[in-house]
Amino acid sequence: MRFKAFGAIDLLIGLVIMAFIFLISVNALKGTSALKINNSPVNEQSVQEHVDETVNEIEQMRQQTIDYNKQMMKENY
């Protein structure tokens, strides 16, 4: 009877050890990122500025399309 629970106890101890090793390795790998986002020399343009520029480009293209269509309508009649 004493040895039947020994496998379950071994399994639990193994899982605890694996979790401990996993936590240590995650903390060790935290500082070794390949992206280096914090001190990046990338242009720090805000998202709002990027959205504004994109919306302005779309509005300009839309207006050019409207003008082109008006010009084509005038030429056809």
Side-chain angles (χ1 to χ4, degrees):
M1 287 294 227
R2 183 174 162 205
F3 296 107
K4 287 186 178 181
F6 189 67
I9 292 172
D10 272 348
L11 182 63
L12 290 175
I13 291 173
L15 287 175
V16 169
I17 292 171
M18 291 297 290
F20 183 71
I21 292 172
F22 177 74
L23 291 174
I24 290 173
S25 63
V26 167
N27 286 334
L29 294 175
K30 215 180 248 187
T32 58
S33 173
L35 295 177
K36 302 291 184 198
I37 294 174
N38 293 337
N39 297 325
S40 176
V42 176
N43 185 10
E44 296 178 359
Q45 183 182 22
S46 73
V47 174
Q48 185 64 39
E49 291 173 349
H50 181 70
V51 169
D52 289 342
E53 289 176 5
T54 307
V55 168
N56 287 336
E57 289 175 7
I58 292 171
E59 287 176 352
Q60 288 175 357
M61 288 188 290
R62 182 177 175 269
Q63 189 61 43
Q64 289 174 356
T65 304
I66 291 171
D67 293 341
Y68 178 78
N69 287 335
K70 284 181 182 178
Q71 183 181 9
M72 293 303 289
M73 293 295 284
K74 285 181 182 176
E75 289 178 3
N76 288 337
Y77 290 113

